[in-house]
Amino acid sequence: MNIEKAIQVYLEWKQTHTNWAYTRYENRLLQFKAFIVPKDKLDEINGDDIVAFHRSLEEKYSLNTIAYSARVLKNFFWFWHGRGKTGFNPKEIIPIRFISADKDIVTKDDLEDMSDLLEVNHLQDLQKKLIIHLLWDTGMRLSELLDIKISDIGEQGTDGLRTAKVRTRKSMRYNLVIWGADTDELMNRYLGMRACLDCESNLLLINPKTKKVFTPRSVQRWITELSDMAMLDKNITPHSFRHGKANFILDQGGSVRDVSALLRHVKPESSFQYMQLSKKRYEDVARRYLTTFTTSKELQLA
């Protein structure tokens, strides 16, 4: 099969279950296609081509970007390996491991500082306000939030709480997320404005100008701008809200098991990384298991 056709078929399949990833996946795959010229057949590509491609990226891109590219290509070749169109074993694409810099987390005070900058009577402000409150209340990944459809949202409970079904890309399973009454007030106000948009899409978060779902890059830009306006001396990303939620759960006396359940981790051990988000908490836990030795001088004084 021609590599260009293979990319097109794969992306059409990918778009059926994750709308926001289409452009990012397309960019990486077309970049790979341009690199491997003159090869133009899917079954001509081997592991050496993948290694050479990623080495070529080292001069221009971060390890994080290269690691993302490796995940895209591995997913792409698993798709065609499963259909019997390539003999190349995707297991040869080894995940790139690297140590990332410490990431800043969002606190409840940070959320309030950013939220206070936004007006509820202005659609674009309301969308931004709703997004940051949903990210905080639910600990959702941005991809999960952008994939939510209006039909995925449940009825408001008598206690003011509300739920929605979200699909996690890592496991492809549906899970429930829940948000509180304050966030639901924003949701109800937004749904009223959303109903007035001339748009056939069932997706919750739609750009009123393009009538398409917001891109992750757009949301990241908003959050960076809000963080700067609120004068937060942090490098905040959409994922910082997820880290902040985990930190908040532990600070309120929750357990790592609670973090695992509420953040819907596929592997429970993923939750243990959050134990070190707070230096004080980490020190408090470690202090319980440190041994205090009595010196000979102290024994003499006694």
Side-chain angles (χ1 to χ4, degrees):
M1 176 181 286
N2 182 281
I3 184 67
E4 185 173 355
K5 178 65 175 178
I7 290 173
Q8 179 184 349
V9 172
Y10 167 77
L11 288 174
E12 289 175 354
W13 167 79
K14 193 72 177 176
Q15 194 174 29
T16 62
H17 60 273
T18 173
N19 292 289
W20 71 272
Y22 183 92
T23 301
R24 297 179 70 185
Y25 275 52
E26 181 182 38
N27 290 340
R28 290 285 162 244
L29 290 170
L30 291 180
Q31 190 177 24
F32 175 68
K33 171 181 171 291
F35 175 81
I36 60 171
V37 171
K39 291 185 177 181
D40 64 351
K41 301 295 183 184
L42 186 65
D43 57 7
E44 295 177 338
I45 301 171
N46 56 46
D48 292 338
D49 296 319
I50 307 295
V51 172
F53 172 61
H54 287 144
R55 284 179 176 170
S56 74
L57 299 180
E58 291 176 357
E59 296 180 1
K60 297 181 179 180
Y61 298 95
S62 67
L63 286 176
N64 188 37
T65 299
I66 297 172
Y68 181 77
S69 174
R71 292 197 299 272
V72 171
L73 288 175
K74 190 165 189 173
N75 190 267
F76 171 74
F77 282 104
W78 269 123
F79 175 80
W80 287 113
H81 184 74
R83 293 193 174 190
K85 296 297 183 180
T86 176
F88 169 58
N89 190 342
K91 289 184 178 179
E92 290 188 36
I93 305 178
I94 306 298
I96 298 172
R97 299 183 182 275
F98 63 96
I99 300 174
S100 59
D102 291 339
K103 297 184 182 298
D104 290 320
I105 66 172
V106 172
T107 66
K108 187 172 182 292
D109 288 340
D110 294 336
L111 172 69
E112 291 174 354
D113 288 343
M114 289 188 284
S115 182
D116 287 345
L117 297 170
L118 300 166
E119 299 291 338
V120 296
N121 295 321
H122 186 275
L123 176 57
Q124 291 183 334
D125 270 17
L126 179 59
Q127 286 177 319
K128 296 173 185 179
K129 198 177 185 80
L130 177 62
I131 283 174
I132 62 175
H133 278 265
L134 284 172
L135 288 174
W136 171 262
D137 269 16
T138 66
M140 273 190 287
R141 300 174 180 88
L142 182 58
S143 59
E144 295 170 338
L145 176 58
L146 295 182
D147 280 343
I148 288 181
K149 298 178 177 63
I150 296 175
S151 55
D152 294 331
I153 301 174
E155 296 292 330
Q156 185 178 26
T158 55
D159 53 3
L161 303 182
R162 203 167 189 177
T163 63
K165 293 184 298 181
V166 298
R167 181 164 56 179
T168 303
R169 288 191 298 118
K170 289 185 177 181
S171 65
M172 297 309 295
R173 293 183 303 181
Y174 280 99
N175 294 287
L176 280 180
V177 294
I178 187 167
W179 57 87
D182 290 343
T183 301
D184 205 50
E185 284 187 21
L186 298 174
M187 176 66 77
N188 289 331
R189 182 181 289 267
Y190 171 69
L191 288 174
M193 293 187 181
R194 173 71 175 80
C196 297
L197 293 178
D198 183 19
C199 179
E200 296 181 357
S201 175
N202 189 35
L203 289 168
L204 174 66
L205 297 166
I206 292 295
N207 187 325
K209 295 181 180 178
T210 64
K211 302 299 189 295
K212 295 180 180 179
V213 67
F214 289 108
T215 66
R217 185 170 296 181
S218 296
V219 178
Q220 172 63 76
R221 186 177 65 252
W222 293 350
I223 290 174
T224 299
E225 291 172 352
L226 284 172
S227 176
D228 290 342
M229 291 170 64
M231 294 184 289
L232 304 180
D233 188 20
K234 295 181 178 182
N235 180 25
I236 292 178
T237 69
H239 213 69
S240 300
F241 289 83
R242 185 171 171 83
H243 293 319
K245 185 65 175 183
N247 193 61
F248 182 74
I249 292 169
L250 294 172
D251 277 345
Q252 298 302 305
S255 67
V256 174
R257 182 174 294 181
D258 294 329
V259 173
S260 180
L262 292 174
L263 298 191
R264 306 166 307 284
H265 283 142
V266 177
K267 298 180 180 179
E269 57 267 28
S270 300
S271 306
F272 284 94
Q273 65 176 309
Y274 294 111
M275 286 299 294
Q276 296 193 36
L277 281 177
S278 167
K279 181 181 178 181
K280 181 181 182 302
R281 184 192 313 113
Y282 185 64
E283 289 177 348
D284 288 343
V285 172
R287 190 177 292 112
R288 298 178 201 168
Y289 305 102
L290 293 176
T291 303
T292 302
F293 294 95
T294 303
T295 65
S296 58
K297 185 175 181 180
E298 288 173 332
L299 288 173
Q300 292 173 1
L301 292 173

